[in-house]
Amino acid sequence: MTVTEVLLTPLFAAGPGRPLITHYDDATGSRVELSRATIANWAAKTANWLRDEHDVEPGDPVAVLLPAHWQTAGVLLGAWWCGAAVTDDPSGAKVAFVAPGGEVPGADVVATVSLHPMGLGCGAPVDYVDEVRVFGDEFMPWAPVPGSTPALGKSTVDEVVAEARQRAETLGITASSRVLSTVEWTHPDGVLTGFLAVLAGGGSLVQVSNANPDALPARRAGEQTTIDLVG
């Protein structure tokens, strides 16, 4: 099973309509909340697009060069769902995901992720948001992905899942946790602590980008968060 299958399956069993990620951007004043089911749909669309449009197979490198954002969650989970090895090195990657204005050398395809709070496209030559919309909301791997398949940097699927679970335990993240985080999703540490540990513990994430320190107390109170992860 993939990282995505292992970590999303119990979350779905516990309630697909429950919030998975609430994203604030203090630079724009936006707030977007997405359920487990909605993020899973984005991930499935991404996995179908990577496999069917760009021939990404288990173990193939996919570069994710994006900030912590709800769209990035869909990209990461979709890449893992089709068995890709997520990396921050675009050289030789089948697909590299970048923010608007980003330029990377060496990738076969460069997909621009709009990071628009409402999920609008950005008009780039390869516009991730617009292109994945036409792909299915469900994903079925053609064959099981072995746990020994590379998944994040030099770590395999099994190693990533084990590390995410260990970090969740260390941080005290459980199914009742609501985690306020300003941690950027750097590879691999930020992705593991700021994103995968929350999923592994069964909690929900309140991610704040471009954080205004003066606004964080109000975020904690309004979102009723129980754990802080400070980047």
Side-chain angles (χ1 to χ4, degrees), residues 54 96 105 135 170 202 209 218:
H54 299 291
F135 286 81
T170 300
S209 298

Side-chain angles (χ1 to χ4, degrees), residues 21-24 68 171 173 178-185 190 193-195 198 204-211 216 219-220 225 227-231:
I21 181 169
T22 304
H23 181 252
Y24 284 90
L171 294 166
I173 300 172
R178 191 145 167 81
V179 180
L180 178 72
S181 177
T182 60
V183 173
E184 271 301 333
W185 295 352
T193 296
F195 182 49
V198 180
S204 62
L205 176 64
V206 179
Q207 180 70 38
V208 183
S209 298
N210 303 306
L216 291 179
R219 301 274 186 267
R220 294 185 186 98
T225 58
I227 294 174
D228 274 10
L229 297 177
V230 180

Side-chain angles (χ1 to χ4, degrees), residues 51-135:
R51 183 186 66 187
D52 299 346
E53 191 75 10
H54 299 291
D55 300 320
V56 173
E57 299 179 354
D60 284 344
V62 167
V64 180
L65 309 173
L66 298 168
H69 191 277
W70 68 261
Q71 289 182 19
T72 308
V75 167
L76 287 168
L77 292 171
W80 284 317
W81 210 343
C82 69
V86 171
T87 177
D88 59 1
D89 180 6
S91 178
K94 278 204 167 179
V95 178
F97 292 92
V98 301
E103 295 183 7
V104 295
D108 292 350
V109 175
V110 177
T112 303
V113 181
S114 72
L115 304 178
H116 190 281
M118 302 310 295
L120 299 182
C122 60
V126 181
D127 187 331
Y128 159 76
V129 171
D130 279 350
E131 292 205 6
V132 300
R133 290 188 193 280
V134 301
F135 286 81

